[in-house]
Amino acid sequence: EFAVATAVPGEAIQVLRAQRLAGGAVWYYGQLPDGGEGWVEGAAVSFTKNQSRTPYVVLPEGGSVYQQPQAEAQVVQELEGGSVIAAEQRPDQAGEWLYSGGGWISGESLFQPACIEFNGSLPLVVMAGGTTVHDTAAYQIPVKQRLDGGELVFPSEVTENATGTWFKIDQGWVSGQSLFYPFCGS
């Protein structure tokens, strides 16, 4: 292996696709501003907030909407993990808050999933309220595991049956009714 291009720390790259390895590591194939392309380990990549009014997903821990862009301000709304909000950056003292409708939310409570393919399929986001994981593509009790709203899952297989569309992820099977594709083609 050898480096085909070098990115300066903090330099933006355009992510074109990604590969999730058997051990769970993710590698991104991206293009530098000078046109150089190549693979970079996921641990070296961070996704930043978009500068325009755009959809964001609330992280699994949820988030508070404040009257002012500061954590000491009055809370006007609580958001569940997996909720989707439209937000925009506006000038504020720290530059780390986004404005969404009637208030401000910390950028640390939000993420914007990339619209890229992982092993030929898109990553899915667990909707607000969370979901359950089952051993087979059917609703079962007891439930194998529970996922929080806002988590990203990486399907390796999809099937349809009388109960709907089901996605196979590392932990088991999840109903498509609890998942959504992040902002692709919109």
Side-chain angles (χ1 to χ4, degrees), residues 141-164:
I141 296 176
V143 169
K144 182 176 181 183
Q145 185 179 348
R146 181 149 184 85
L147 300 176
D148 291 330
E151 288 190 50
L152 274 178
V153 296
F154 303 90
S156 58
E157 191 178 332
V158 62
T159 189
E160 289 191 34
N161 60 33
T163 59

Side-chain angles (χ1 to χ4, degrees), residues 3 7 13 26 30-32 37 39 48 55 82 86 88 101 104 120 137 148 154 164:
I13 65 169
V26 175
Q31 183 178 46
L32 293 167
E37 292 185 8
W39 288 94
T48 59
E88 63 181 302
W104 295 85
D148 291 330
F154 303 90

Side-chain angles (χ1 to χ4, degrees), residues 5-35:
T6 303
V8 181
E11 184 173 23
I13 65 169
Q14 180 182 7
V15 175
L16 304 172
R17 61 183 180 272
Q19 180 74 35
R20 186 164 185 260
L21 305 180
V26 175
W27 283 74
Y28 297 99
Y29 186 84
Q31 183 178 46
L32 293 167
D34 67 5

Side-chain angles (χ1 to χ4, degrees), residues 48-125:
T48 59
K49 299 182 284 288
N50 190 304
Q51 299 300 317
S52 62
R53 187 166 177 79
T54 187
Y56 288 87
V57 177
V58 181
L59 288 168
E61 297 78 31
S64 299
V65 179
Y66 297 88
Q67 196 168 36
Q68 300 294 324
Q70 53 193 2
E72 299 78 28
Q74 179 183 348
V75 174
V76 295
Q77 184 182 3
E78 292 292 345
L79 301 172
E80 276 190 90
S83 301
V84 177
I85 64 165
E88 63 181 302
Q89 279 192 318
R90 289 188 179 178
D92 68 83
Q93 62 256 48
E96 299 168 355
W97 292 79
L98 290 98
Y99 184 78
S100 175
W104 295 85
I105 184 166
S106 169
E108 294 178 359
S109 299
L110 305 172
F111 75 102
Q112 190 175 20
C115 183
I116 52 177
E117 291 190 0
F118 284 79
N119 301 347
S121 62
L122 295 169
L124 299 168
V125 179

Side-chain angles (χ1 to χ4, degrees), residues 57 84 113 121-125 127 155 158 165 167 179-184:
V57 177
V84 177
S121 62
L122 295 169
L124 299 168
V125 179
M127 288 185 178
V158 62
T165 303
F167 292 89
L179 306 173
F180 67 93
Y181 286 109
F183 325 136
C184 296

